[in-house]
Amino acid sequence: MRIRRRVRGEQRIETAAWTVLVENGVRIRRWSQSGEGYAYVTGGARMIDAPRPRSAGAFAVLCHEVAHHALGHTVHAEPVDPRRELDEEWAAWEFTFACFARFGLAVPASVTREIAASMAERLAAALEEGLEPVPARFQPFQAAARALLVAPRF
């Protein structure tokens, strides 16, 4: 049996994560091994799948998924149009940055890069669905999104 010690920073992140979950009435259904997260409602309960909050990156994913509930993104039953979906993703990442600031946590460059990649992927999907012109706040992600559209898919 391996006993794992928590480092001080990890404890801060975990405490912050549980605070965010409790304050927003969100429960964990499953700890994700892949680092990805999902927010959904099942049986009236606000649930997420997210990685264990042991690093800044995992905390960012967890906060992002909680944001979808906190901001009301999981209440629509109807399909969401590409522009609205982009706006919701942007708002969820803003919520995430606010969580980092609230708990006095630094946002590592690796997290910023992951967020930029996530927004580029979302913008690429919106462009495929016909979003034009690209709204001003998403233009920093436009070159990466267009590159994704021309890249070969496997």
Side-chain angles (χ1 to χ4, degrees):
M1 181 162 114
R2 189 176 127 195
I3 297 175
R4 189 176 177 285
R5 285 189 157 177
R6 290 188 195 151
V7 294
R8 189 172 191 290
E10 188 178 300
Q11 286 178 322
R12 283 184 62 211
I13 289 171
E14 196 169 308
T15 300
W18 285 109
T19 301
V20 170
L21 286 164
V22 170
E23 287 178 350
N24 290 284
V26 176
R27 296 188 337 214
I28 297 287
R29 183 186 70 98
R30 182 177 69 81
W31 292 117
S32 165
Q33 300 300 315
S34 66
E36 294 181 355
Y38 300 96
Y40 50 92
V41 176
T42 183
R46 299 163 108 186
M47 307 293 282
I48 64 170
D49 294 352
R52 287 187 187 276
R54 293 182 175 151
S55 67
F59 179 66
V61 172
L62 184 138
C63 288
H64 177 87
E65 298 311 325
V66 169
H68 284 302
H69 286 300
L71 301 173
H73 302 164
T74 55
V75 297
H76 355 279
E78 75 280 354
V80 179
D81 68 79
R83 169 66 188 255
R84 183 168 162 190
E85 194 170 336
L86 259 178
D87 288 336
E88 288 180 356
E89 285 301 300
W90 183 264
W93 286 124
E94 286 181 331
F95 180 97
T96 301
F97 284 126
C99 288
F100 273 85
R102 175 182 172 200
F103 295 104
L105 301 169
V107 180
S110 60
V111 170
T112 304
R113 284 190 301 273
E114 285 297 318
I115 291 170
S118 169
M119 287 307 301
E121 288 172 13
R122 188 65 65 176
L123 179 57
L127 290 170
E128 276 188 319
E129 293 181 36
L131 177 73
E132 287 292 344
V134 174
R137 70 176 163 178
F138 302 117
Q139 287 177 357
F141 311 108
Q142 187 171 2
R146 293 201 186 276
L148 288 171
L149 291 174
V150 298
R153 295 183 185 167
F154 299 98

